Amino acid sequence: MDKKDFILASGSPQRIALLRQVVFEPKQITPADICEDCLEHEKPLPYVRRMALEKAKHVAALFPNENVLACDTIVTIGQRILHKAKNSEEQRGYMKLLSGRAHKVISSVCLINKSGKISQRTVITKIAMKVLTAQEIEEYLQSGEWKGVCGYKIEGRLAAYVTRMVGSYSGVVGLPLNETINLLKGEGIR
Protein backbone atom coordinates (compact mmCIF):
# COMPACT_ATOMS: atom_id res chain seq x y z
CA MET A 1 0.00 0.00 0.00
CA ASP A 2 1.40 3.38 -1.03
CA LYS A 3 1.91 5.94 1.68
CA LYS A 4 -0.22 9.01 1.07
CA ASP A 5 1.01 12.56 1.58
CA PHE A 6 -0.58 13.29 4.96
CA ILE A 7 0.04 12.85 8.67
CA LEU A 8 -2.76 11.37 10.77
CA ALA A 9 -3.11 13.23 14.07
CA SER A 10 -4.65 10.20 15.80
CA GLY A 11 -3.52 6.88 17.16
CA SER A 12 -7.06 5.46 17.08
CA PRO A 13 -6.95 1.90 15.74
CA GLN A 14 -10.47 2.42 14.36
CA ARG A 15 -9.43 5.49 12.33
CA ILE A 16 -6.30 3.79 11.03
CA ALA A 17 -8.32 0.71 9.98
CA LEU A 18 -10.96 2.86 8.24
CA LEU A 19 -8.30 4.72 6.24
CA ARG A 20 -6.63 1.45 5.25
CA GLN A 21 -10.02 0.06 4.25
CA VAL A 22 -10.22 2.73 1.53
CA VAL A 23 -6.50 2.49 0.70
CA PHE A 24 -5.42 5.78 2.28
CA GLU A 25 -2.32 5.01 4.32
CA PRO A 26 -0.91 8.05 6.16
CA LYS A 27 2.82 8.51 5.76
CA GLN A 28 3.02 9.07 9.51
CA ILE A 29 0.81 8.66 12.57
CA THR A 30 1.31 11.26 15.30
CA PRO A 31 -1.44 11.35 17.92
CA ALA A 32 -2.32 14.83 19.17
CA ASP A 33 -1.81 14.82 22.91
CA ILE A 34 -4.03 17.75 23.93
CA CYS A 35 -6.45 18.57 26.72
CA GLU A 36 -9.93 17.41 25.72
CA ASP A 37 -11.89 19.11 28.50
CA CYS A 38 -15.08 20.95 27.56
CA LEU A 39 -15.14 24.70 27.94
CA GLU A 40 -17.73 26.07 30.36
CA HIS A 41 -21.23 25.87 28.77
CA GLU A 42 -19.78 24.39 25.55
CA LYS A 43 -22.36 22.51 23.50
CA PRO A 44 -21.55 19.21 21.70
CA LEU A 45 -21.29 20.51 18.11
CA PRO A 46 -18.89 23.38 18.85
CA TYR A 47 -16.93 21.07 21.16
CA VAL A 48 -16.32 18.32 18.60
CA ARG A 49 -15.41 20.84 15.89
CA ARG A 50 -12.99 22.60 18.24
CA MET A 51 -11.37 19.31 19.26
CA ALA A 52 -10.77 18.21 15.64
CA LEU A 53 -9.33 21.65 14.80
CA GLU A 54 -7.10 21.81 17.90
CA LYS A 55 -5.76 18.30 17.25
CA ALA A 56 -4.94 19.24 13.66
CA LYS A 57 -3.30 22.52 14.72
CA HIS A 58 -1.25 20.80 17.42
CA VAL A 59 0.27 18.28 15.00
CA ALA A 60 0.59 20.82 12.16
CA ALA A 61 2.73 22.97 14.48
CA LEU A 62 5.06 19.98 14.95
CA PHE A 63 5.26 19.32 11.19
CA PRO A 64 5.18 22.57 9.18
CA ASN A 65 4.57 22.25 5.43
CA GLU A 66 2.76 18.92 5.82
CA ASN A 67 -0.86 17.92 5.29
CA VAL A 68 -2.35 17.01 8.67
CA LEU A 69 -5.63 15.14 9.15
CA ALA A 70 -7.39 15.05 12.52
CA CYS A 71 -10.78 13.90 13.74
CA ASP A 72 -12.90 13.87 16.86
CA THR A 73 -16.02 11.80 17.51
CA ILE A 74 -18.48 12.08 20.39
CA VAL A 75 -21.69 10.42 21.53
CA THR A 76 -24.39 12.78 22.78
CA ILE A 77 -27.76 12.51 24.45
CA GLY A 78 -29.41 15.89 24.13
CA GLN A 79 -26.68 18.37 25.10
CA ARG A 80 -24.80 15.83 27.24
CA ILE A 81 -21.51 14.47 25.89
CA LEU A 82 -20.64 10.90 26.84
CA HIS A 83 -16.86 11.04 27.22
CA LYS A 84 -14.67 7.95 27.56
CA ALA A 85 -15.85 6.11 30.66
CA LYS A 86 -13.26 5.99 33.43
CA ASN A 87 -14.58 2.72 34.86
CA SER A 88 -17.30 0.11 34.45
CA GLU A 89 -19.67 1.92 36.82
CA GLU A 90 -19.57 5.05 34.67
CA GLN A 91 -20.05 2.94 31.53
CA ARG A 92 -23.02 1.16 33.16
CA GLY A 93 -24.59 4.61 33.65
CA TYR A 94 -23.98 5.44 30.00
CA MET A 95 -25.60 2.18 28.89
CA LYS A 96 -28.67 2.89 31.01
CA LEU A 97 -28.89 6.37 29.46
CA LEU A 98 -28.64 4.97 25.92
CA SER A 99 -31.11 2.12 26.54
CA GLY A 100 -34.30 2.57 24.55
CA ARG A 101 -33.36 6.09 23.45
CA ALA A 102 -32.28 7.93 20.37
CA HIS A 103 -28.96 9.70 20.51
CA LYS A 104 -26.43 11.30 18.17
CA VAL A 105 -22.85 10.59 17.23
CA ILE A 106 -21.03 13.65 15.92
CA SER A 107 -17.78 13.26 14.03
CA SER A 108 -15.73 16.20 12.80
CA VAL A 109 -12.76 15.81 10.48
CA CYS A 110 -10.21 18.58 9.88
CA LEU A 111 -7.44 18.86 7.31
CA ILE A 112 -4.73 21.50 7.47
CA ASN A 113 -2.85 21.55 4.19
CA LYS A 114 0.81 22.29 3.59
CA SER A 115 0.16 26.03 3.24
CA GLY A 116 -1.92 26.19 6.43
CA LYS A 117 -5.40 26.26 4.84
CA ILE A 118 -7.99 24.67 7.13
CA SER A 119 -10.86 22.55 5.76
CA GLN A 120 -13.36 20.90 8.08
CA ARG A 121 -16.46 18.74 7.71
CA THR A 122 -18.81 17.55 10.45
CA VAL A 123 -21.28 14.68 10.27
CA ILE A 124 -24.17 13.99 12.64
CA THR A 125 -25.56 10.46 12.78
CA LYS A 126 -28.81 9.66 14.57
CA ILE A 127 -29.04 6.28 16.25
CA ALA A 128 -31.89 4.51 18.03
CA MET A 129 -31.12 1.73 20.48
CA LYS A 130 -33.42 -0.96 21.82
CA VAL A 131 -34.23 -1.18 25.49
CA LEU A 132 -31.29 -3.03 27.03
CA THR A 133 -31.83 -5.67 29.69
CA ALA A 134 -29.68 -5.66 32.80
CA GLN A 135 -28.02 -8.84 31.49
CA GLU A 136 -27.21 -7.24 28.11
CA ILE A 137 -25.65 -4.25 29.87
CA GLU A 138 -23.55 -6.51 32.10
CA GLU A 139 -22.42 -8.64 29.14
CA TYR A 140 -21.38 -5.49 27.29
CA LEU A 141 -19.45 -4.25 30.32
CA GLN A 142 -17.70 -7.61 30.69
CA SER A 143 -16.70 -7.58 27.00
CA GLY A 144 -14.46 -4.55 27.66
CA GLU A 145 -15.25 -3.15 24.19
CA TRP A 146 -16.19 0.20 25.72
CA LYS A 147 -12.70 0.84 27.11
CA GLY A 148 -10.86 3.70 25.42
CA VAL A 149 -13.79 4.82 23.25
CA CYS A 150 -16.45 7.48 23.62
CA GLY A 151 -19.73 5.86 24.63
CA TYR A 152 -19.36 2.52 22.83
CA LYS A 153 -17.97 0.68 19.80
CA ILE A 154 -20.64 0.35 17.11
CA GLU A 155 -18.52 -2.21 15.24
CA GLY A 156 -18.67 -4.66 18.12
CA ARG A 157 -21.39 -6.36 20.18
CA LEU A 158 -23.42 -3.19 20.51
CA ALA A 159 -24.38 -3.34 16.82
CA ALA A 160 -26.96 -5.98 17.75
CA TYR A 161 -28.83 -3.41 19.85
CA VAL A 162 -29.09 -0.64 17.26
CA THR A 163 -32.59 -0.50 15.78
CA ARG A 164 -32.08 2.45 13.43
CA MET A 165 -29.22 4.55 12.10
CA VAL A 166 -29.41 7.59 9.86
CA GLY A 167 -26.08 9.06 8.83
CA SER A 168 -22.52 7.82 8.51
CA TYR A 169 -21.61 4.38 9.84
CA SER A 170 -17.89 5.12 9.45
CA GLY A 171 -18.45 8.42 11.27
CA VAL A 172 -19.83 6.46 14.23
CA VAL A 173 -16.81 4.16 14.14
CA GLY A 174 -14.61 7.28 14.31
CA LEU A 175 -13.91 8.77 10.87
CA PRO A 176 -16.55 9.80 8.30
CA LEU A 177 -14.93 8.31 5.20
CA ASN A 178 -16.84 10.13 2.48
CA GLU A 179 -16.03 13.54 3.94
CA THR A 180 -12.44 12.54 4.75
CA ILE A 181 -11.71 11.23 1.25
CA ASN A 182 -13.21 14.39 -0.28
CA LEU A 183 -10.97 16.58 1.92
CA LEU A 184 -7.87 14.56 1.00
CA LYS A 185 -8.68 14.44 -2.71
CA GLY A 186 -9.31 18.19 -2.60
CA GLU A 187 -5.61 18.55 -1.74
CA GLY A 188 -4.58 16.20 -4.53
CA ILE A 189 -4.01 13.25 -2.19
CA ARG A 190 -5.29 10.20 -4.05
Side-chain angles (χ1 to χ4, degrees):
M1 185 180 302
D2 290 337
K3 302 283 187 208
K4 306 296 181 182
D5 189 20
F6 70 97
I7 294 171
L8 179 62
S10 173
S12 161
Q14 292 86 0
R15 290 187 182 119
I16 295 164
L18 284 167
L19 284 167
R20 288 179 177 157
Q21 177 183 319
V22 292
V23 200
F24 272 78
E25 178 80 15
K27 68 179 180 182
Q28 186 170 327
I29 297 169
T30 303
D33 187 20
I34 64 168
C35 175
E36 296 190 35
D37 293 342
C38 286
L39 301 175
E40 191 173 349
H41 306 297
E42 190 172 30
K43 303 258 189 257
L45 188 59
Y47 168 80
V48 74
R49 290 183 53 79
R50 179 175 65 83
M51 284 293 95
L53 178 60
E54 285 188 11
K55 289 175 181 181
K57 284 181 173 179
H58 178 80
V59 174
L62 300 173
F63 300 96
N65 305 312
E66 294 284 355
N67 296 307
V68 175
L69 181 74
C71 187
D72 196 62
T73 302
I74 58 171
V75 176
T76 67
I77 295 180
Q79 294 300 313
R80 180 174 179 184
I81 298 170
L82 304 186
H83 294 282
K84 293 176 184 174
K86 296 174 189 73
N87 53 51
S88 60
E89 195 55 42
E90 188 173 21
Q91 184 65 30
R92 183 178 288 108
Y94 286 171
M95 300 310 290
K96 288 178 180 178
L97 273 175
L98 293 166
S99 177
R101 296 181 66 182
H103 63 280
K104 294 177 184 173
V105 176
I106 308 173
S107 194
S108 189
V109 62
C110 182
L111 178 69
I112 298 179
N113 74 5
K114 292 179 177 189
S115 62
K117 178 184 153 216
I118 298 169
S119 302
Q120 191 165 8
R121 302 287 179 273
T122 304
V123 176
I124 299 173
T125 302
K126 296 176 183 174
I127 297 174
M129 195 172 293
K130 79 175 211 69
V131 174
L132 300 170
T133 66
Q135 181 179 346
E136 288 168 335
I137 290 172
E138 291 309 310
E139 287 172 355
Y140 188 71
L141 290 172
Q142 289 172 14
S143 76
E145 285 183 357
W146 54 272
K147 293 178 181 176
V149 297
C150 255
Y152 57 82
K153 275 177 71 173
I154 191 71
E155 68 275 25
R157 296 169 180 242
L158 202 89
Y161 307 140
V162 172
T163 59
R164 186 172 36 89
M165 179 185 294
V166 178
S168 169
Y169 175 80
S170 62
V172 177
V173 175
L175 186 69
L177 285 176
N178 181 57
E179 292 72 16
T180 301
I181 299 307
N182 286 338
L183 286 175
L184 292 169
K185 285 183 176 179
E187 288 304 320
I189 303 166
R190 303 199 178 273

